[in-house]
């Protein structure tokens, strides 16, 4: 028998808020976490602003031991462990010190790279004939599955512990992978999420591709402008989001808060055929991903109250809106509300899908639609398709029953997940 899957815990490390309370306050009030980045300026990047979470040394020590922090140099693992453990605690789950692991619980925690700062440090030490100075955790920090391995050890997870990697679709994909595992009865609960390293060694390639904005180095909070006529590229960001997905029967037996239900979703690829390329989405595949997600969730497009888009503040924003409109068969004032978290945090790359999903679930649970900031000059190609009232620029208090969240990544890969208010 297939199980129903619900969300019982959330954790987030974002440029505009670390922890649920700070993050919720920030997205409700349109608070940007994008700031001037002195290191990008020093390195003469075209884009000299970024969305980088602020983690104090005191906070690090709440999650890592002094021994673990010795020779530790991985922002991605740092963000992911904080978000994952916060989600676990938020779900009211204990951290047991039993001899046996928790066979019913696991994690699928994605990333694009792992410990790129540590990797660079390691290369220099090897080149300087100092291999023995690398430290015993160099491998754990630089292997792609480092973040899930750290979480698995800290929480004693005995079910599947793995890492997925699908560019900007990584976080959305991890949720759907965890959903399927619980739905089929292979686990009672899974931490689904994703993380991204921060810094120039992650962002340099994008700056070289000229897809990052360079027009707002003096006005960082205005730099990320999804759906705006003056959007000039995305702002590089980083962070992590985590969600505890759980078998409904298990959640009810534990008597815990249920944020939302995961109805289903879909992942696919455009195969880099037609208009699809390594960096551009195949519109037919995007539309099919959305329609197949709706069918998998057992709903109709008319039931969707809100959409949290991918919407990166590039020239592809208007195409994304067109794809949503065609897939949903809705336009003008009939279109659901739509917003973009990237206006406040930038593009968190492999972490984007999970950070944005946390924001999406908070909207469903608390009954609000957060504003998309910096789009006071909406792109006319967008308003020709949907009414501007459906793109809130201020907080709206509104009950949301069903929300669709999608991500579209390099490699022409797509993911769409459907969240529903639990009643």
């Amino acid at each position: 028998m297939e199980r129903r899957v619900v969300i019982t815990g959330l954790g987030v490390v974002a440029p505009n808020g670390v922890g649920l309370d700070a993050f919720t306050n920030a997205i409700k009030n349109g608070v940007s976490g994008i700031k001037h980045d002195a290191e990008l300026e020093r390195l003469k990047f075209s884009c000299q602003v970024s969305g980088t979470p602020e983690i104090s040394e005191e906070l690090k020590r709440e999650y890592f031991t002094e021994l673990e922090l010795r020779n530790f140099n991985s922002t991605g693992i740092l963000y992911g462990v904080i978000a994952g453990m916060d989600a676990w605690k938020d779900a009211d789950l204990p951290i047991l010190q039993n001899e046996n692991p928790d066979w019913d619980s696991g994690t699928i925690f994605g990333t694009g790279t792992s410990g790129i700062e540590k990797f660079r440090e390691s290369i220099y030490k090897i080149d300087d004939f100092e291999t023995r100075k690398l430290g015993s955790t160099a491998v754990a920090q630089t292997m792609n599955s480092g973040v899930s391995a750290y979480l698995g050890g800290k929480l004693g997870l005995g079910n599947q512990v793995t890492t997925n990697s699908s560019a900007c679709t990584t976080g959305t994909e991890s949720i759907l992978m965890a959903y399927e595992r619980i739905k089929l009865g292979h686990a009672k609960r899974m931490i689904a999420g994703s993380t991204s390293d921060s810094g120039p060694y992650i962002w340099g390639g994008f700056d070289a591709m000229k897809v990052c904005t360079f027009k707002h180095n003096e006005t960082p909070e205005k730099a990320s402008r999804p759906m705006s006529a003056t959007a000039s590229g995305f702002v590089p960001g980083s962070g992590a989001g985590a969600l505890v997905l759980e078998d409904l029967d298990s959640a009810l037996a534990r008597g815990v808060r249920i944020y939302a239900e995961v109805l289903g979703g879909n992942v696919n690829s455009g195969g880099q055929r037609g208009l699809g390329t390594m960096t551009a989405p195949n519109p037919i595949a995007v539309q099919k991903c959305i329609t197949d997600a709706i069918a998998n969730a057992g709903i109709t497009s008319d039931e969707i109250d809100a959409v949290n888009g991918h919407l990166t503040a590039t020239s592809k924003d208007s195409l994304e809106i067109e794809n949503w409109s065609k897939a949903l068969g809705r336009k003008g004032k009939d279109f659901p509300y739509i917003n973009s978290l990237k206006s406040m945090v930038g593009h968190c790359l492999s972490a984007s899908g999970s950070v944005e999903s946390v924001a999406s679930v908070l909207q469903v649970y608390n009954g609000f639609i957060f504003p998309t900031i910096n789009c006071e000059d909406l792109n006319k190609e967008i308003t020709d398709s949907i009414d501007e009232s459906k793109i809130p620029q201020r907080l709206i208090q509104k009950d949301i029953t069903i929300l669709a969240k999608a991500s579209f990544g390099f490699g022409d890969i797509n993911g769409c997940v459907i969240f529903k208010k639990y009643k």
Side-chain angles (χ1 to χ4, degrees):
M1 184 179 72
E2 292 186 347
R3 277 86 168 163
R4 290 173 66 183
V5 181
V6 295
I7 297 164
T8 56
L10 298 172
V12 66
V13 173
N16 65 344
V18 177
L20 278 185
D21 290 343
F23 182 66
T24 303
N25 179 68
I27 65 174
K28 278 186 168 184
N29 292 288
V31 176
S32 174
I34 296 168
K35 298 179 180 178
H36 174 257
D37 193 312
E39 181 66 0
L40 299 188
E41 180 181 12
R42 186 186 73 82
L43 294 169
K44 301 187 185 307
F45 274 48
S46 296
C47 177
Q48 297 174 6
V49 299
S50 70
T52 304
E54 296 182 355
I55 309 291
S56 68
E57 292 300 316
E58 291 75 20
L59 187 62
K60 289 180 185 179
R61 283 167 174 75
E62 292 181 22
Y63 299 85
F64 293 85
T65 66
E66 292 292 341
L67 182 60
E68 287 173 324
L69 289 172
R70 189 181 303 164
N71 296 318
F72 187 86
N73 193 14
S74 172
T75 52
I77 291 175
L78 174 68
Y79 303 153
V81 167
I82 292 174
M85 293 186 69
D86 279 0
W88 187 262
K89 295 172 188 174
D90 189 50
D92 199 25
L93 290 162
I95 300 176
L96 302 176
Q97 301 299 328
N98 297 343
E99 183 176 337
N100 291 323
D102 178 356
W103 305 116
D104 295 322
S105 303
T107 185
I108 300 173
F109 215 99
T111 187
T113 60
S114 182
I116 196 164
E117 304 97 333
K118 187 67 177 180
F119 195 74
R120 176 180 180 274
E121 174 191 318
S122 299
I123 289 172
Y124 277 99
K125 285 186 175 178
I126 291 169
D127 287 347
D128 292 339
F129 306 99
E130 296 180 342
T131 305
R132 293 184 180 182
K133 294 183 179 180
L134 288 178
S136 60
T137 63
V139 172
Q141 290 183 62
T142 56
M143 65 185 188
N144 250 33
S145 57
V147 62
S148 57
Y150 268 89
L151 277 172
K154 287 182 174 296
L155 299 175
L157 305 178
N159 207 279
Q160 183 181 18
V161 173
T162 192
T163 295
N164 66 307
S165 186
S166 297
C168 307
T169 308
T170 299
T172 304
E173 180 185 68
S174 72
I175 294 168
L176 289 169
M177 292 171 71
Y179 162 78
E180 289 289 343
R181 187 162 185 82
I182 298 168
K183 179 182 174 183
L184 295 174
H186 298 316
K188 283 188 178 179
R189 65 194 65 84
M190 299 287 291
I191 303 173
S194 63
T195 188
S196 178
D197 286 307
S198 61
Y201 304 106
I202 289 290
W203 302 329
F206 298 105
D207 197 69
M209 289 174 66
K210 301 186 184 304
V211 294
C212 296
T213 183
F214 61 90
K215 294 184 177 181
H216 300 275
N217 290 338
E218 305 303 318
T219 53
E221 293 182 356
K222 298 291 184 183
S224 187
R225 309 181 65 81
M227 297 184 281
S228 163
T230 51
S232 55
F234 72 76
V235 173
S238 56
L243 305 88
V244 173
L245 274 60
E246 189 163 359
D247 181 324
L248 175 60
D249 290 341
S250 171
L252 292 176
R254 294 198 305 115
V256 294
R257 170 190 48 220
I258 295 175
Y259 282 106
E261 183 172 2
V262 182
L263 292 185
N266 186 55
V267 291
N268 76 0
S269 170
Q272 301 177 45
R273 298 295 189 268
L275 296 178
T277 68
M278 177 64 75
T279 59
N282 178 337
I284 304 302
V286 169
Q287 293 167 37
K288 179 175 171 55
C289 180
I290 295 167
T291 56
D292 287 355
I294 291 168
N296 180 260
I299 62 170
T300 65
S301 63
D302 290 340
E303 295 178 81
I304 295 174
D305 300 306
V307 169
N308 182 240
H310 189 61
L311 297 167
T312 57
T314 65
S315 60
K316 298 299 180 184
D317 285 2
S318 57
L319 175 59
E320 180 178 337
I321 296 296
E322 180 184 344
N323 287 332
W324 277 108
S325 183
K326 288 180 177 179
L328 298 178
R330 298 171 65 180
K331 60 184 180 179
K333 290 186 177 180
D334 182 50
F335 195 83
Y337 289 101
I338 187 166
N339 55 11
S340 173
L341 185 68
K342 292 182 180 72
S343 66
M344 292 180 258
V345 302
H347 191 344
C348 296
L349 303 174
S350 55
S352 61
S354 59
V355 173
E356 292 164 16
S357 288
V358 171
S360 297
V361 171
L362 287 170
Q363 291 182 107
V364 172
Y365 181 69
N366 292 305
F368 69 86
I369 299 172
F370 65 74
T372 300
I373 65 173
N374 300 327
C375 65
E376 61 278 359
D377 56 338
L378 286 165
N379 187 325
K380 188 176 183 302
E381 291 182 19
I382 291 175
T383 54
D384 283 346
S385 296
I386 65 175
D387 193 82
E388 63 180 67
S389 66
K390 297 299 181 176
I391 308 170
Q393 297 181 46
R394 292 181 176 82
L395 177 71
I396 293 179
Q397 297 291 341
K398 179 178 175 58
D399 285 339
I400 300 171
T401 301
I402 294 178
L403 182 148
K405 166 61 202 145
S407 300
F408 312 114
F410 271 25
D412 196 8
I413 49 180
N414 313 302
C416 181
V417 60
I418 310 294
F419 299 116
K420 181 179 182 181
K421 189 174 188 70
Y422 177 76
K423 298 181 181 179

